[in-house]
Amino acid sequence: MDQFPLLLSGVRLPSKKGSDESEVEQLTRESKFIAEYFLLHRDVTITIDGVDKLNIFGTVTCGDINIARTLLELGLVVFVDWSAPKDPSTSDSYRKAEKHAQEKRRKIWVDHAPVPKQVQSGGSHDKAAKETNITGTVVEVVNSMTITVRVSKADSNNAQKTVDRIITLSSIRAPRVVKQDEEVKYSHPTARLTGDDKNKAEQDAKTKKEEDDEEIKRELAIAQEAKEFLRNALIGKKVKCIFDYPRSFGNNKNQPPQVRLYWSVYLVEGSTEKNIAVELVRQGLARVVSHPEDELRATDYQDLVVSEKNAESAHKGIHSAVYRQQNVINLTPLPRGADASSGGGETKSSNLIAKCKQFFTFFQNKPRIDAIVDYVFAASRFKLSIPSQGCVIMFTLQGCIVDKPIKATEDIAAKPDISPFDKQFPPTSHGNKALHFTRDHVYQRKVQISVASLDNFGNFLGHMYINNKEFALTLIEQGHAKLHYKIAKKFQNFEIYKTAEEKARKQLKGLWETFDFEAEKQAMLAPVERQVVSEASASKGKSKDPFPIIVTDIRSGNTFSYQIQNEETSALNELSISLQNENFARHPHHAPKKGEIIAAQYTMDDLWYRAEVLSLVSQGKDLAFDYEVKYIDYGNREVLPHSRIRQLDQEFVDLMKPQAYDGKLVGVKTPEEDDAKDAIEGFKELVSGRTLYALEISTENTAPKGTKGTQLTHNVVLTDKDKDLGLELIANGYTRVDKRLKQDDPLYALYHEAEEYARRERFGIWQYGYNPDSDEERELERQLLR
């Protein structure tokens, strides 16, 4: 005859936590009495319903008496769903029995008061209580036991919107993951030992460390395998999530505890539903949590326990001494600051580039390569795993230009079940919207790539294919990217790309929704003043074709810096991203020479840009030099301390020529002293945020006398739509006509007429009448006033 302890399914005694222990003991004695009265020394029928890690659960009946239901009716026990019998009718009868005891206020329910529905909210997990069952699509596998599910819900206006929810699998424990750069510290109590005892203690400590290191590698490999299992099973699939319980973490008195919500997740395949946690445990990729008797647990906890025992018997995954080692070759360029801090940075970088070139030769010979998107940095920049080659690479799409994503700057309240990605990159800017679109379509999904080139930093460039379609073309079709004409012209299907952009523009998709087409149209028109300027340039043998520019810096009423709008300036954003990725803050300080191209940290935004050292500014004896620099892609100048200067690799210098040009308005003279500030403000008001057209009349070397080298300044005429900006500055009294402008110049009469008008109307510098602005004219004035 076999004997074994049996726990009744679906019921338990009240918890002693927060209750009167004497009252609980009284209920225990009464429950025992009822059970003995109906069952002791009688023939009973036992139905085994399930098990957990230590116990067997079952239903006990004696004739028509179900002892668990009887105890519920008497109010001596409470109903628990996780161990309830699988038969729905039996479970429903248990619930009805408990409800009947509550209505009669028997025993443990003597003080029971039903809470009205309208006041049932409260507590740290109200949201989970309201949404005990959600259905959505898996968009991300965060780790080996946490996923992100996109669900649809109504907002305050009953409009449907999507929300990404963090879902953690209940009642399982994933393998622990220790970061590779995290050291595990060991204590060595050998200070007081000597001789053989000390040697033995040191050897034991060494052995212990080796065993622990091996266990860490083992669990890390299994954690990666578990994450990959979830990715293959769930990404893009429909799931149903049932809320099980919340848990609070953190004992910091200054901060509220963090609440994490745990769910049972079922993969929906047609009419069937499969518990993904059970599948994970069955493969030996997770352990089952041993809950205390009165603690909430997963809905299918018994299935989890059975699956774990089967995995242990079969020595699967974490229950096996053998594991699959992950040998991945990392070909992603790391910030050079990380290498420099440990020494040998240039050697590591060159070795990485050499490895990338070896793989590039192989990739280039393959028409299509299978890959998995591990991370999305921007809509056109990715981190990819290549399973066939066991490597990880950085990959950038060719043929399209996308806006840079912008991180949220405002503080966002902690929400335990909202995706951190949505908090960091809200879909408010065009770059963020494109990033969201890209993540939704490619993140953690299988794709195909074709590699066309390799840049100087180890980034692979080419095409990405989703369902046999180029993803860059998809971005352009949806208005999330512009066509990079210089690159795309080389594509065999360039016309398809061009047609896709034209269609997106007409339909006002994506970034074209807020695009100023009228300004673009007007900027392309030939204004009247431009015809006059063309005559001037023709007489000097220069081209009659103006070119589009953007003014990036204004130094006076007639001197400025500008960028020519072409394919190179369109790629400037990518260069800026690469510079920020260099992590210059970790590079050693650098003492540059005059004329050297360096990396400089701009004081207005603390970002790094290419700059040229113009001069060294002494701070006095025994003090470090400051440096006057010019940002070669924008033209603005400033004086920087030594701490904001870093050496720049020649690769960045050669990657793109300086994009900023120094310009000067033809025939315009800026005032001096106080009026100079007004001239600068007036100039800024005319050019701010506008695409202008410049016509070059001549060039001159404006480098200071006695200095080596050339400082080229382009003498130009600027126009905006039908306005000559030099003419506007003179007519508004911000500047005056340069006396060096010759009478036979087509601009002479036009500019002098505008100056006479400003003088007559007392605009700007003419508000007090005659306003000399040179030493020669001031001397003439003094003579006239004598």
Side-chain angles (χ1 to χ4, degrees):
M1 179 180 293
D2 294 329
Q3 295 183 356
F4 60 90
L6 179 73
L7 272 65
L8 293 179
S9 301
V11 298
R12 66 171 175 82
L13 288 167
S15 172
K16 293 184 180 181
K17 294 180 180 179
S19 303
D20 186 353
E21 293 189 8
S22 61
E23 183 180 347
V24 174
E25 290 177 0
Q26 177 65 22
L27 291 171
T28 303
R29 288 195 297 269
E30 292 185 25
S31 300
K32 181 181 179 183
F33 173 79
I34 296 298
E36 289 178 344
Y37 178 80
F38 284 106
L39 304 179
L40 190 61
H41 303 308
R42 298 176 187 269
D43 292 334
V44 297
T45 301
I46 297 176
T47 303
I48 302 299
D49 295 315
V51 297
D52 66 6
K53 290 211 166 189
L54 300 173
N55 306 299
I56 300 175
F57 295 87
T59 303
V60 180
T61 58
C62 181
D64 295 334
I65 298 174
N66 182 320
I67 191 62
R69 184 166 55 239
T70 301
L71 292 172
L72 284 167
E73 289 175 345
L74 295 174
L76 296 171
V77 293
V78 295
F79 175 73
V80 288
D81 186 72
W82 66 267
S83 67
K86 298 297 183 183
D87 181 18
S89 61
T90 304
S91 297
D92 289 342
S93 69
Y94 284 11
R95 293 187 180 93
K96 291 178 181 178
E98 184 180 52
K99 185 176 181 181
H100 179 73
Q102 290 173 348
E103 292 173 350
K104 298 295 183 180
R105 297 190 178 182
R106 291 174 177 169
K107 298 299 180 181
I108 61 177
W109 307 112
V110 65
D111 296 324
H112 176 69
V115 181
K117 291 183 178 180
Q118 63 267 27
V119 296
Q120 283 183 347
S121 62
S124 60
H125 55 282
D126 290 342
K127 192 169 187 178
K130 294 177 183 178
E131 299 180 338
T132 57
N133 190 327
I134 62 175
T135 301
T137 303
V138 179
V139 295
E140 179 183 6
V141 176
V142 180
N143 54 45
S144 53
M145 62 178 291
T146 306
I147 62 177
T148 302
V149 177
R150 178 159 298 164
V151 298
S152 296
K153 59 180 297 184
D155 59 15
S156 58
N157 298 323
N158 290 326
Q160 290 294 318
K161 67 175 184 178
T162 58
V163 178
D164 289 352
R165 300 286 299 274
I166 295 294
I167 302 294
T168 302
L169 302 180
S170 54
S171 294
I172 66 170
R173 182 179 294 111
R176 58 177 181 152
V177 177
V178 178
K179 296 180 180 179
Q180 294 181 356
D181 58 350
E182 182 179 338
E183 294 185 0
V184 180
K185 297 182 179 180
Y186 299 89
S187 60
H188 301 281
T190 60
R192 299 181 181 180
L193 301 179
T194 58
D196 294 339
D197 291 338
K198 182 176 182 179
N199 293 335
K200 185 177 183 303
E202 290 178 348
Q203 184 62 36
D204 291 344
K206 182 179 179 181
T207 303
K208 172 66 175 173
K209 183 178 184 305
E210 291 174 352
E211 291 175 352
D212 288 348
D213 288 345
E214 182 63 23
E215 180 65 17
I216 289 171
K217 291 180 181 178
R218 176 172 169 272
E219 296 222 358
L220 177 60
I222 295 173
Q224 292 173 340
E225 187 178 349
K227 184 178 180 180
E228 181 63 15
F229 175 85
L230 291 179
R231 189 197 66 78
N232 277 318
L234 298 180
I235 282 293
K237 303 290 182 62
K238 180 181 178 182
V239 294
K240 183 175 76 174
C241 307
I242 298 177
F243 176 71
D244 289 320
Y245 55 86
R247 289 285 184 272
S248 297
F249 300 90
N251 297 319
N252 191 340
K253 296 180 179 179
N254 298 325
Q255 296 180 351
Q258 180 183 359
V259 179
R260 187 177 299 166
L261 310 180
Y262 290 83
W263 306 71
S264 291
V265 178
Y266 297 87
L267 176 62
V268 180
E269 296 178 329
S271 59
T272 62
E273 297 177 353
K274 183 166 57 177
N275 189 316
I276 198 64
V278 172
E279 296 299 318
L280 201 63
V281 172
R282 184 174 290 137
Q283 298 298 323
L285 300 176
R287 295 185 176 91
V288 179
V289 176
S290 297
H291 292 281
E293 182 180 343
D294 59 347
E295 189 173 67
L296 296 173
R297 57 197 74 188
T299 304
D300 297 331
Y301 185 75
Q302 296 174 15
D303 292 339
L304 289 172
V305 173
V306 172
S307 298
E308 184 179 44
K309 292 185 181 297
N310 292 336
E312 288 176 352
S313 301
H315 301 289
K316 287 186 176 180
I318 206 167
H319 309 294
S320 172
V322 180
Y323 65 94
R324 187 186 307 168
Q325 295 189 16
Q326 303 287 336
N327 296 319
V328 178
I329 303 173
N330 188 356
L331 299 178
T332 59
L334 296 176
R336 286 176 174 77
D339 292 338
S341 61
S342 59
E346 294 183 1
T347 303
K348 292 181 180 180
S349 177
S350 60
N351 290 341
L352 177 64
I353 299 300
K355 286 183 179 180
C356 289
K357 289 181 178 179
Q358 294 174 3
F359 278 86
F360 172 67
T361 303
F362 172 80
F363 291 155
Q364 205 174 24
N365 294 328
K366 294 285 184 179
R368 299 280 180 91
I369 303 166
D370 293 329
I372 298 171
V373 180
D374 285 344
Y375 196 81
V376 181
F377 295 96
S380 62
R381 185 173 172 82
F382 314 92
K383 180 180 178 181
L384 304 181
S385 291
I386 313 293
S388 62
Q389 301 302 312
C391 64
V392 180
I393 66 172
M394 290 294 294
F395 185 82
T396 302
L397 295 180
Q398 285 189 320
C400 65
I401 302 171
V402 300
D403 290 344
K404 179 181 177 182
I406 302 173
K407 274 192 176 183
T409 55
E410 67 274 10
D411 294 333
I412 302 177
K415 297 180 180 179
D417 57 346
I418 301 299
S419 167
F421 173 77
D422 280 349
K423 298 176 186 178
Q424 292 180 0
F425 296 98
T428 52
S429 66
H430 292 309
N432 288 13
K433 290 178 182 178
L435 177 60
H436 277 258
F437 177 85
T438 301
R439 278 177 58 94
D440 291 347
H441 286 78
V442 306
Y443 182 44
Q444 292 189 334
R445 286 170 167 79
K446 292 182 179 179
V447 299
Q448 288 186 315
I449 62 170
S450 61
V451 178
S453 61
L454 175 71
D455 67 14
N456 295 331
F457 311 104
N459 298 298
F460 294 85
L461 298 91
H463 298 286
M464 177 184 289
Y465 300 88
I466 310 295
N467 297 326
N468 210 33
K469 181 179 180 180
E470 295 178 24
F471 188 65
L473 180 59
T474 301
L475 289 174
I476 292 174
E477 288 176 343
Q478 298 300 320
H480 292 306
K482 295 180 181 179
L483 186 60
H484 195 315
Y485 282 88
K486 183 176 181 180
I487 301 297
K489 281 183 179 180
K490 301 175 184 178
F491 298 167
Q492 293 182 353
N493 57 347
F494 169 68
E495 291 300 325
I496 297 177
Y497 273 80
K498 186 177 178 181
T499 302
E501 185 182 57
E502 291 173 354
K503 186 176 180 180
R505 286 168 63 100
K506 290 180 181 178
Q507 295 179 353
L508 301 180
K509 287 186 174 181
L511 61 89
W512 305 112
E513 182 179 0
T514 56
F515 190 77
D516 194 344
F517 292 99
E518 185 63 26
E520 181 187 52
K521 180 180 178 181
Q522 292 297 330
M524 296 176 65
L525 296 176
V528 177
E529 279 83 356
R530 196 175 301 165
Q531 300 300 326
V532 177
V533 174
S534 296
E535 297 177 8
S537 61
S539 65
K540 299 177 184 297
K542 294 292 180 180
S543 170
K544 297 182 180 182
D545 296 327
F547 47 90
I549 69 162
I550 288 182
V551 175
T552 56
D553 181 54
I554 295 176
R555 291 179 293 281
S556 71
N558 68 343
T559 57
F560 58 99
S561 295
Y562 63 91
Q563 294 176 346
I564 301 175
Q565 295 302 287
N566 53 26
E567 290 83 356
E568 287 189 341
T569 51
S570 300
L572 188 59
N573 186 43
E574 291 294 329
L575 173 61
S576 178
I577 293 173
S578 298
L579 287 171
Q580 310 319 314
N581 291 338
E582 286 301 301
N583 197 7
F584 284 111
R586 300 184 62 180
H587 286 212
H589 292 183
H590 177 59
K593 298 178 180 179
K594 182 179 178 181
E596 182 179 349
I597 305 298
I598 47 94
Q601 190 178 28
Y602 187 36
T603 54
M604 296 297 293
D605 58 14
D606 287 335
L607 298 180
W608 295 89
Y609 302 93
R610 301 192 301 176
E612 178 186 2
V613 178
L614 298 180
S615 64
L616 278 63
V617 182
S618 176
Q619 296 298 307
K621 188 177 181 181
D622 299 329
L623 294 178
F625 280 98
D626 283 350
Y627 301 87
E628 182 186 6
V629 301
K630 171 187 174 183
Y631 295 97
I632 62 175
D633 296 314
Y634 301 92
N636 51 318
R637 282 90 158 156
E638 69 174 344
V639 176
L640 294 178
H642 183 253
S643 59
R644 288 180 174 266
I645 302 292
R646 297 292 187 274
Q647 188 173 12
L648 186 66
D649 288 350
Q650 189 64 33
E651 297 169 346
F652 282 107
V653 179
D654 299 335
L655 185 64
M656 182 185 298
K657 68 179 182 180
Q659 295 300 298
Y661 300 85
D662 288 339
K664 184 177 181 180
L665 293 177
V666 171
V668 177
K669 183 175 179 60
T670 187
E672 297 176 353
E673 298 178 353
D674 295 338
D675 292 329
K677 296 180 180 179
D678 293 335
I680 292 175
E681 293 302 319
F683 199 175
K684 287 181 178 178
E685 185 178 347
L686 287 173
V687 305
S688 178
R690 301 178 184 178
T691 298
L692 309 173
Y693 280 82
L695 188 64
E696 184 175 310
I697 304 302
S698 63
T699 58
E700 60 179 315
N701 182 13
T702 55
K705 293 182 180 180
T707 60
K708 297 181 179 179
T710 301
Q711 186 174 324
L712 202 62
T713 297
H714 303 263
N715 297 316
V716 299
V717 175
L718 290 185
T719 56
D720 173 27
K721 298 182 180 179
D722 56 349
K723 297 178 181 178
D724 180 333
L725 266 65
L727 183 68
E728 288 290 315
L729 287 171
I730 295 172
N732 283 283
Y734 292 122
T735 59
R736 62 176 303 174
V737 180
D738 190 343
K739 64 180 181 180
R740 293 176 295 178
L741 189 64
K742 297 180 180 180
Q743 292 187 6
D744 61 349
D745 194 302
L747 296 175
Y748 183 88
L750 194 64
Y751 281 14
H752 275 278
E753 182 180 352
E755 185 182 84
E756 184 60 32
Y757 168 77
R759 190 191 302 233
R760 185 171 61 250
E761 297 295 330
R762 301 293 181 95
F763 289 158
I765 60 176
W766 309 109
Q767 59 182 321
Y768 301 116
Y770 179 74
N771 184 23
D773 60 357
S774 71
D775 291 339
E776 181 181 354
E777 290 171 331
R778 289 178 188 277
E779 180 60 27
L780 177 61
E781 179 189 29
R782 284 193 291 269
Q783 293 178 3
L784 293 174
L785 292 176
R786 287 176 184 172

